[in-house]
Amino acid sequence: MALPKAFWLLWFGQTVSRLGTLAPAFLVLYLEQDGLVAPGTTPLVVGLFGAGVVLSGLVGGALADLIGPRRTIVAAQPVAAAMALLFAVADHVVALCALSLITGFLSAVDRPAGAGLISAIVPQEQFSKAYSLFLVGFNIGMSLSPVVSGFLLEVSPGALFVVWAASSLVYAALVFAVPADPPSARDADRPAGAAAALKSAARGIAEPFRTPVLVGFLLLTFLLACIYLQVNSALPLDMRDSGLTAGDIGFVLAVNAVLSVLLLPLVPRLVGGMRAHVPLILAAGFMALGFGVNAFADGMVTFTLATVVWTLGEVLWAPMSATFIADRAPAGRSSTYQGSYFFAWNAAFVVGSPAGLALAHAHGYGSLWLSVLGLGLAVTLGFALLPRLTGFATKTDPEPDAVPASKAVPAPAPFPEPEAVPRATATEESLTTKTR
């Protein structure tokens, strides 16, 4: 079944947005190239950008369920465009810190809303397919963004923010053409008044953290993200220390981007029929092995082979983790539940990357990758145990004890009703009484 036009409007919008959004790495280069902040202040600015990204998961999801995912995306983009243009002219450290926090938030606030909007515009059985294609667009935009940013940084640094603003407005225009947010099943019960609505949204944010299976899933998500996000910190440094040039490192990471684009559309068909936790087990296993093998890598070939392995885990994880959440989100809470996932994943930016670098600097990269392998195998075991937690089963993923209808043993037929017995004669009744 073909995906609806509304999905493709969202797809093109977020792809253009990712292409134009300034990555934190180029924000660092911009700040230090123009001497806007002292080198010691740069980590603070980047850290505030990351804090904004972390907050965007919970707030963005709740906001999307409160006012609708389409309205959330359309409303956020003009604000993002204005903040980007202010960034181009700001030169005071306090203003730069404030803008970094706000733009970090706005750069990711659409992600839970986007997942929620996909849930609303495609049938549930097509969510995995649609979200896989959505991630293809995301990866295309993120892969081209460094190329565009690097060119603009050399030619005209201020143009970085003009392109960012323009891409945000294009995103808003395309999503504005999507049909209005459909009424939620919770709309009838939604409390009237701003204060009551905000209280309801706050309760919604806490909801996923009260469901045992989702608490387990989100904890494992955080730990897996701590492994995966070494790709942005420890991995390139280890490759550099192993003698790879900047061009070699770019090639290795490009393998990840190309494979992601090629393989993501195939994932729903490959995992079709598997129980919900099985793709998560496979994803965690591939990531554990892929990053763990880096302990023995000493050149471009071995680093590339390791990248292929952990990329297989990434392409399994991205759509199927979102599907796991979508299948367990109650009506009217889809974006909020997706927001809890983005919160758990993005929180690893704050913990995982610094911890990995600290361990590598103290004990060497070999110790880091072997530790990552051990953690990854523990996470893999954790996903295998998810079915034991309350809340695992859904309509599309039955409990382990459930028996398929085609193999079920038919229930025994009920005993036939006894036939009516004619009333005994006086003589027979007398004999019966004596027998008793």
Side-chain angles (χ1 to χ4, degrees), residues 110-196:
D110 67 298
R111 297 204 66 189
L117 188 53
I118 292 173
S119 295
I121 60 183
V122 303
Q124 184 179 10
E125 63 273 13
Q126 284 195 295
F127 181 86
S128 295
K129 173 186 175 182
Y131 200 75
S132 295
L133 291 173
F134 188 68
L135 290 173
V136 169
F138 181 88
N139 284 331
I140 290 173
M142 294 295 285
S143 299
L144 294 177
S145 176
V147 178
V148 174
S149 296
F151 172 76
L152 293 176
L153 190 62
E154 290 185 1
V155 176
S156 176
L160 286 166
F161 302 98
V162 175
V163 170
W164 187 355
S167 66
S168 298
L169 295 177
V170 170
Y171 189 15
L174 289 171
V175 176
F176 184 78
V178 173
D181 291 312
S184 163
R186 288 179 177 253
D187 283 350
D189 301 326
R190 185 166 288 155

Side-chain angles (χ1 to χ4, degrees), residues 2 7 26 44 71 97 101 104 122 236 287 290 297 340 342 344 347 381 385 434:
F7 169 79
F26 285 91
L44 172 62
R71 292 189 189 97
C97 287
L101 176 65
V122 303
M287 286 197 203
S340 69
F342 287 113
L381 176 62
L385 297 176
K434 289 176 183 177

